[in-house]
Amino acid sequence: MGGRGRLAWCAWAATLMAACALLPLVDPSTWILQAAVLLAIQCGVGAVCRRVPLARPLTVAAEGLALLVLLTVAFAREQALLWLVPGPRAFGHFGDLLHQGADDIARYAIPAPLESDGIRLMLVGGVLVIGLLVDTLAVTLRAAAPAGLPLLALYSVAAGLSDGGADWLWFLLAAAGYLMLLLAEGRERLAQWGRVFGGTPRAGGGGPGGALAPVRTGRRIGVVVLGIALVVPLALPSMDGGLLDGAGTGIGSGSGDGGTISAVNPLVSLRDSLNVDEDRQVLSVNTDSGDLSHLYLRIVSLDDFDGTTWKPSRRQITEVPDGAFPAPPGLGPDIRRARVRTTIAAADWYGQDWLPMPYPPSGVRVVGNWRYEPVGMTLVGDHGQNTRGLTYEVDSLDVQPTAEQLAGAPRPPAALAREYTELPDSLPAVVSRTARDITAGAVGDYDRAVRLQEYFALTGGFQYDTRVQVGSGSQAIARFLRDKEGFCIHFSFVMAAMARSLGIPARVAVGFAPGSPMADGSVSVTLRDAHAWPELYFEGVGWTRFEPTPTRGTMPSYTVPDAPGATVPDIARPSREASAAPSAAPSSSEGCTAQQKKVEGCTGQSPQAAPAEANDGRAWYVVPAWVLGALAVLVLPLAPLLWRQRMRRVRLGAPGRTGADVAPRTLAAWQELTDAAWDFGIAPDESQTPRQAAARIARLGRLDTRAEAAAHRVADAVEQVLYAPRPRPAAGLADDVRRVTAGLRGSVGRGARLRARFAPRSAVRMVWAVTAWWSGARARAAAVRPALRKLSRQRG
């Protein structure tokens, strides 16, 4: 193996060794085998391009094209042309997979399941991209030292996501791969200077064996540097974090006394969960509650609003109380309540860091390493603890306030009101303006809250759509209010922001809406039950759930005042003031139950929801582009064959062609003979004379007597042209070249014949010609540029 080949192999191995740091993040780890095979093919393409040789930019472009084709075959072949060529559908599928992968990363705890194609694409594609960068830097550009940067990036991503454990092992493996790459480059550079001589012999040595070779010195330096990198962080306890500190801080990082829970956004892919093609059960719930329609399972509350999104604030976490939990904040003694016991079993694949529970919980019996956050009354897993396959029991309170109690609630404490009514300056003015318009004439915070809920759920003309795109940033709220389309995140976020603008303490809860009752008495909670809803604070009642999302969940009964003449419509029938505009969502039949509506199980579809024809809006250039792409796919593999046939006709002369000069025709025939031998594996040797080259072709090609004589006749004619003062014209050179080609074809097997015909080695001259043309064009452009500048100055 040559120096470049060894360096390419080391680049492949170093990339895979660094990628091993990703193994603990996904289960099972079989993806690394797929990545290894695809990376080997990609590196092989680069090795072939360098052996041709191609220009460096062309080599990098060829490897990039190979990366794209490999990912297409592995992940988007059904959307590609001929299962190979990526088109608009394939790129769209890649985007969907990447979006799904990002959502799955947020949803699953470590290790995430490999069944997600999005996660697999991110892993394999990331390794291939890093491999392309390493191969380009270390092998194509011969700069192995900078290749450590992409390797470090790959390890850093893995270390940042992992939960500790054997991170030091993955660091050692990645570092060993990088050192191996450096040593391979050093060996390849030293080999260009010949034998490596050592310095002064050791005392008593006298021979070359006592010399200290630079390669051996490099190994020792690498070991020392690696040891320092491992020992120094351990010897400096005052330095937080470090290269080997994979746990870091954040969720579950506390010990129970001074630990904190960081502001990590737990909005775990609600859109993806609601849009799944095949719904999956997340939780199985058994409860003694008499009203399943209000059995919301709350995961966490989001109380920090930055104008773009809601997220949980940084909170102190403590040990889970052994007995009953403290009373929920704000709940007074005169509010009716019932005690509920609920047993929850999580699916084996569902790994959630937060424990789904009814709110407010009064006690939890759960095994594992969990911590308690008192402000939100939530439980969060510590050091990798999650809900995967977990069964636990929750005691909770079913708080049942009346509309009168909520309407008569006193003002909340000043500190609480200040914290939970805070709004950023970037919030669009339309939010507070719309809130004031909706609640104009309302008396008290309760009446304002009910009117906000009514506006979104009943009278505002909003439509529930899980696939709507409202964009991001602070202006997304304004677009939602303008277009009136969205799903639970949009409704809950905007209602909570409006409530805060009116001085009502508000936050957003994330969890699951009530599931579907099963025949065995349990309740099945699925991905499509993922939900978000606002919680508003009323002194004496505490944090109170509202339901602004139309057709989702259950509107609380306490939002319907018992007072005569109330303006709030009866939730049992549609509002008369609701928008009469046709809905873009499928319409349900009149016999559809509330549960069926919730899980979208009703049949029937409105004409407005009928899918458009596939060719509506198709641009005129789409079909021609696909036709040209198909032709390119068919022609490109045949390009070497077509080019060789054309060159053969030009060199040997088309039938009936006469009058050509002796020298050009003779040299063209010789060029064709040597290229034919090259196609069958006999590479040309420019250092030999034509006579020596003909003898070499006859010997290596095992030519018979007639073919060998024909090769020597062509060689003699070339020598006449090159050296004789008056070269004698030779007749029948084209027939001699064809005779030699036939002899070469008859001396090899079928595989060699097929390769010589469809993938001839001499076709690389076509690439050389293009490269030479490009270099000449650049040189001509550089020569013309000063004249153009001079002319421009003269005109100016």
Side-chain angles (χ1 to χ4, degrees):
M1 182 183 295
R4 279 290 186 94
R6 185 183 303 107
L7 195 58
W9 183 90
C10 290
W12 173 83
T15 304
L16 284 183
M17 293 168 75
C20 288
L22 298 169
L23 292 178
L25 305 181
V26 180
D27 183 37
S29 302
T30 53
W31 64 270
I32 194 70
L33 301 178
Q34 182 184 21
V37 173
L38 298 183
L39 183 61
I41 297 174
Q42 176 181 295
C43 293
V45 171
V48 170
C49 293
R50 286 185 290 267
R51 188 173 180 83
V52 166
L54 290 181
R56 289 176 176 178
L58 293 179
T59 300
V60 177
E63 285 194 82
L65 181 61
L67 184 153
L68 181 59
V69 172
L70 290 172
L71 291 180
T72 300
V73 173
F75 296 97
R77 55 182 175 272
E78 294 181 358
Q79 291 78 22
L81 181 63
L82 299 177
W83 298 281
L84 186 67
V85 181
R89 288 185 59 205
F91 286 112
H93 185 64
F94 281 138
D96 293 340
L97 288 181
L98 291 176
H99 185 271
Q100 173 191 343
D103 290 342
D104 289 340
I105 288 175
R107 178 190 305 118
Y108 297 117
I110 296 174
L114 190 59
E115 63 188 20
S116 170
D117 289 338
I119 293 180
R120 184 189 292 270
L121 172 62
M122 297 178 76
L123 289 172
V124 176
V127 171
L128 292 184
V129 171
I130 296 297
L132 174 61
L133 295 176
V134 173
D135 188 82
T136 299
L137 293 172
V139 190
T140 303
L141 302 180
R142 296 191 177 187
L149 294 177
L151 293 176
L152 178 62
L154 184 61
Y155 167 79
S156 300
V157 170
L161 294 175
S162 66
D163 56 354
D167 281 353
W168 62 271
L169 175 62
W170 309 124
F171 173 73
L172 285 177
L173 197 60
Y178 179 53
L179 291 178
M180 178 179 64
L181 187 62
L182 291 177
L183 293 176
E185 186 207 28
R187 180 177 178 181
E188 196 267 340
R189 289 183 181 274
L190 290 174
Q192 297 178 5
W193 293 90
R195 181 179 176 184
V196 179
F197 292 92
T200 305
R202 296 175 183 173
L212 188 64
V215 173
R216 191 179 309 161
T217 304
R219 293 194 185 100
R220 295 182 180 180
I221 293 174
V223 171
V224 171
V225 172
L226 182 60
I228 293 174
L230 289 172
V231 172
V232 168
L234 300 178
L236 299 175
S238 61
M239 297 175 60
D240 294 333
L243 191 60
L244 299 180
D245 182 15
T249 61
I251 291 180
S253 62
S255 61
D257 296 327
T260 60
I261 181 169
S262 66
V264 177
N265 192 343
L267 288 176
V268 288
S269 153
L270 277 175
R271 181 194 299 271
D272 184 60
S273 298
L274 296 171
N275 286 325
V276 290
D277 295 329
E278 182 181 356
D279 203 6
R280 302 177 65 186
Q281 178 172 296
V282 177
L283 304 170
S284 178
V285 180
N286 286 276
T287 181
D288 58 7
S289 174
D291 187 0
L292 299 180
S293 63
H294 295 281
L295 188 63
Y296 281 65
L297 297 179
R298 184 171 169 276
I299 295 176
V300 66
S301 62
L302 316 178
D303 50 21
D304 184 7
F305 182 48
D306 60 6
T308 301
T309 187
W310 293 74
K311 54 184 178 291
S313 299
R314 188 175 180 87
R315 300 289 188 187
Q316 294 290 326
I317 56 175
T318 63
E319 295 287 346
V320 179
D322 292 334
F325 285 9
L331 181 60
D334 56 342
I335 303 299
R336 181 182 175 185
R337 69 200 72 182
R339 298 190 177 275
V340 177
R341 175 162 295 182
T342 305
T343 302
I344 304 172
D348 293 337
W349 59 269
Y350 179 67
Q352 170 62 252
D353 293 338
W354 310 73
L355 197 67
M357 299 184 298
Y359 182 84
S362 57
V364 178
R365 284 167 292 279
V366 61
V367 297
N369 200 5
W370 295 92
R371 295 293 181 266
Y372 177 65
E373 193 274 292
V375 176
M377 303 191 73
T378 56
L379 264 65
V380 61
D382 192 12
H383 294 94
Q385 177 66 55
N386 58 61
T387 60
R388 195 186 302 272
L390 187 68
T391 299
Y392 55 99
E393 192 174 82
V394 182
D395 292 331
S396 60
L397 299 178
D398 181 11
V399 181
Q400 303 167 9
T402 64
E404 289 78 8
Q405 289 173 324
L406 290 169
R411 296 298 302 169
L416 186 146
R418 183 169 53 253
E419 178 180 0
Y420 290 99
T421 58
E422 183 178 0
L423 289 172
D425 296 334
S426 61
L427 187 69
V430 67
V431 176
S432 58
R433 184 173 63 251
T434 305
R436 290 193 301 269
D437 293 342
I438 296 169
T439 59
V443 180
D445 288 347
Y446 166 73
D447 195 8
R448 297 186 184 96
V450 171
R451 292 195 183 194
L452 290 178
Q453 175 181 269
E454 175 188 355
Y455 173 71
F456 289 109
L458 298 172
T459 65
F462 285 84
Q463 296 177 359
Y464 180 81
D465 187 354
T466 61
R467 299 183 185 275
V468 66
Q469 297 289 339
V470 296
S472 59
S474 59
Q475 295 303 317
I477 296 179
R479 283 191 290 271
F480 167 69
L481 291 175
R482 179 196 64 200
D483 300 337
K484 297 189 175 183
E485 291 180 339
F487 61 107
C488 56
I489 287 180
H490 308 114
F491 290 97
S492 57
F493 281 14
V494 178
M495 179 174 171
M498 284 186 173
R500 286 194 173 190
S501 71
L502 298 173
I504 307 173
R507 64 188 186 186
V508 176
V510 177
F512 295 96
S516 303
M518 307 301 290
D520 59 357
S522 64
V523 177
S524 176
V525 178
T526 67
L527 285 173
R528 289 180 181 168
D529 293 318
H531 195 43
W533 60 92
E535 292 181 337
L536 277 56
Y537 183 86
F538 293 91
E539 185 64 22
V541 179
W543 289 104
T544 308
R545 177 180 65 85
F546 285 78
E547 186 54 88
T549 306
T551 73
R552 297 290 293 176
T554 305
M555 194 176 293
S557 58
Y558 46 76
T559 59
V560 182
D562 296 332
T567 60
V568 181
D570 188 354
I571 62 173
R573 59 180 183 270
S575 172
R576 296 180 180 178
E577 300 178 10
S579 172
S583 172
S587 60
S588 304
S589 62
E590 294 182 358
C592 191
T593 65
Q595 284 295 338
Q596 290 173 328
K597 290 179 181 178
K598 183 174 65 63
V599 299
E600 299 177 3
C602 298
T603 59
Q605 194 174 38
S606 63
Q608 293 82 358
E613 294 296 330
N615 59 355
D616 282 352
R618 175 179 293 173
W620 63 269
Y621 54 81
V622 172
V623 174
W626 277 103
V627 172
L628 292 177
L631 292 177
V633 171
L634 296 176
V635 171
L636 285 178
L638 299 178
L641 168 65
L642 299 176
W643 184 86
R644 280 294 290 127
Q645 288 181 347
R646 179 180 180 278
M647 295 305 299
R648 187 177 296 112
R649 286 195 301 269
V650 171
R651 290 167 177 172
L652 301 183
R657 180 181 175 184
T658 60
D661 294 338
V662 174
R665 290 203 62 180
T666 303
L667 295 178
W670 177 250
Q671 187 73 56
E672 176 59 30
L673 189 148
T674 54
D675 279 358
W678 191 5
D679 293 340
F680 288 99
I682 305 174
D685 188 350
E686 301 295 339
S687 65
Q688 293 182 332
T689 64
R691 187 174 303 179
Q692 292 172 334
R696 176 171 172 267
I697 291 172
R699 183 181 72 257
L700 297 179
R702 299 189 299 275
L703 298 180
D704 55 23
T705 305
R706 295 179 67 249
E708 182 178 0
H712 282 288
R713 283 196 295 272
V714 178
D716 291 342
V718 173
E719 290 182 345
Q720 284 283 329
V721 168
L722 294 178
Y723 308 120
R726 293 185 179 84
R728 298 190 307 270
L733 292 182
D735 294 334
D736 287 337
V737 172
R738 295 187 183 97
R739 190 173 292 113
V740 173
T741 303
L744 292 171
R745 187 181 300 110
S747 64
V748 297
R750 178 180 299 177
R753 290 197 298 270
L754 291 175
R755 176 175 179 179
R757 182 173 181 83
F758 293 100
R761 296 175 174 86
S762 63
V764 71
R765 295 188 186 276
M766 175 177 60
V767 182
W768 290 348
V770 173
T771 304
W773 175 86
W774 176 250
S775 300
R778 293 180 60 186
R780 290 190 295 272
V784 172
R785 194 175 296 113
L788 293 176
R789 285 199 296 265
K790 182 178 180 181
L791 181 61
S792 177
R793 286 195 298 268
Q794 290 175 352
R795 290 180 177 179

